[in-house]
Amino acid sequence: MSLLFPLGLLALAAWLVPLLIHLARRQQYAPLDFAALRWLQARIRPRQKIRFDAWPLLLVRLLLLAALALLLARPVLHGGGADTHAVTVVAPGLDGAALRGQDAKGDWRWLAPGFPALADGAPASHQPLASLLRELDQTLPAGAPLTVYVPDPMPGLDGERPRLSRAVNWRPVPLAPASARTATLPEVQVGAGIADAEQRVLAAIQRAWSNHPLSPARAAGTAPNDGQLGVWLAAGPLPTAWQTWVQQGGSVLVAPGAAGAGWMPVLRDAEGAVVLEQRQEGSGRLLRFSAALSPTALPALRDPGFPRQLLAVIAAPAAPTLAPAATQAPLRGAAAPLPAPRELSPWLLALIVLLFALERAMATSPRRGAGA
């Protein structure tokens, strides 16, 4: 056991208060002369000793002050039995419900910031999976078994194979090949929030790419197909189906000024002004123009070579950080997580309440009379 604030023990100086009170209020004895004892020889009176009246009450008051001082010092208890139940995490983009199957028990979580429960729904995570694994390893107790489901190929690398303090049950989940995204010309698939002027611009880009008309708008609950460029210009976040599709390698064009960090210029005009920006999202990416999708707001659209320049950006690999999941199995050797100390404050508060109730009961007892 250790104390977080040892200076709190200075409150033990308050012990002097009940000691002085009990000394000052002890019972005084008045001498009474007896006529029959008048002729007895006087003896030396014994030396008076310090004596406390109602010493059980004094002891309770001292214990109450000691408990208050210890509460101020914030004691914590190290060690103890840690919860070492098995934990299973699933990377976003995978079907967590299908992986869990018929197993209704166990601690299943998403491999995402905060490690939410699997039942909370698939989160949108932009943090590298390797970094999340290191954080999770230091969060769990040292003896807790860990099972990890990751997509194969695995996105979210951060330049170094993760090294953890425990052995991991590594479960790569093969994904369907997505070669169609680069083998064929992309097709524009629009969603909600497309104005008529913007739709005409997108239709012109589609005709320049493949001489095909623009596909009908797709509902929020239906994500684009592989090989398509999704366009969602409505305000607010992407629908869940579209977010999952992006995490698995899709590309979506969002409204100018979309929130979020990590945007990088990928296309500039002849004067060097930014026309198109990109942000990595799992295995996929988000794209946004620097202005509204109209020739007036975005003069680069008048350039006859703009569709070809845009096609070069769209056809580029969306996720250059992919790697076979088998090669990214965590290594051993990291420092084991320290056991989390347990605070004793709740127990001390309960003890203080009990001592205070006992002190009041003893102090107001009729047997004590008017003293104390």
Side-chain angles (χ1 to χ4, degrees), residues 12-311:
L12 289 175
W15 270 2
L16 294 175
V17 176
L19 292 174
L20 294 176
I21 291 176
H22 277 253
L23 283 175
R25 302 184 64 181
R26 63 179 180 175
Q27 186 175 357
Q28 301 294 331
Y29 296 95
L32 179 62
D33 293 333
F34 284 87
L37 301 177
R38 183 178 303 177
W39 307 108
L40 295 179
Q41 184 179 1
R43 296 186 177 182
I44 300 176
R45 299 180 63 182
R47 184 180 302 174
Q48 291 186 350
K49 297 182 180 180
I50 298 177
R51 179 174 52 84
F52 294 101
D53 290 335
W55 63 265
L57 176 60
L58 175 62
L59 180 60
V60 171
R61 287 173 173 172
L62 293 178
L63 288 176
L64 178 59
L65 291 176
L68 288 171
L70 195 58
L71 180 65
L72 294 176
R74 294 281 302 277
V76 292
L77 186 63
H78 298 280
D83 186 4
T84 56
H85 63 276
V87 176
T88 302
V89 291
V90 179
L94 298 179
D95 191 346
L99 292 174
R100 187 169 186 175
Q102 302 300 322
D103 183 10
K105 300 181 180 180
D107 188 359
W108 286 69
R109 310 180 190 177
W110 289 107
L111 188 58
F115 310 107
L118 199 68
D120 294 343
S125 173
H126 315 307
Q127 190 171 341
L129 298 183
S131 176
L132 288 168
L133 282 173
R134 298 187 189 95
E135 179 183 351
L136 179 63
D137 177 59
Q138 294 300 310
T139 302
L140 299 177
L146 177 61
T147 301
V148 181
Y149 286 91
V150 293
D152 188 14
M154 176 180 165
L157 311 182
D158 59 1
E160 183 181 4
R161 188 173 174 182
R163 185 179 296 274
L164 309 182
S165 65
R166 73 195 71 227
V168 175
N169 186 9
W170 193 248
R171 298 290 188 87
V173 179
L175 296 179
S179 58
R181 286 196 296 267
T182 57
T184 61
L185 292 174
E187 177 185 351
V188 178
Q189 177 60 64
V190 297
I194 308 295
D196 292 340
E198 296 169 335
Q199 193 162 357
R200 288 194 294 269
V201 172
L202 294 172
I205 293 174
Q206 180 66 75
R207 286 194 301 269
W209 284 353
S210 60
N211 202 25
H212 292 164
L214 196 64
S215 301
R218 184 157 293 189
T222 306
N225 300 324
D226 287 341
Q228 292 182 328
L229 170 64
V231 180
W232 189 276
L233 301 182
L238 288 173
T240 302
W242 288 58
Q243 291 180 8
T244 303
W245 182 72
V246 171
Q247 292 288 330
Q248 295 176 352
S251 298
V252 175
L253 179 66
V254 296
W263 292 96
M264 299 292 295
V266 291
L267 182 60
R268 298 177 182 270
D269 60 14
E271 285 75 25
V274 176
V275 177
L276 185 68
E277 295 176 302
Q278 172 181 298
R279 187 179 78 184
Q280 198 74 27
E281 294 283 332
S283 301
R285 59 188 163 180
L286 297 180
L287 301 164
R288 70 177 183 185
F289 285 108
S290 57
L293 199 57
S294 69
T296 303
L298 203 63
L301 295 176
R302 299 192 180 99
D303 185 356
F306 177 77
R308 176 180 50 82
Q309 299 170 3
L310 180 61
L311 178 60

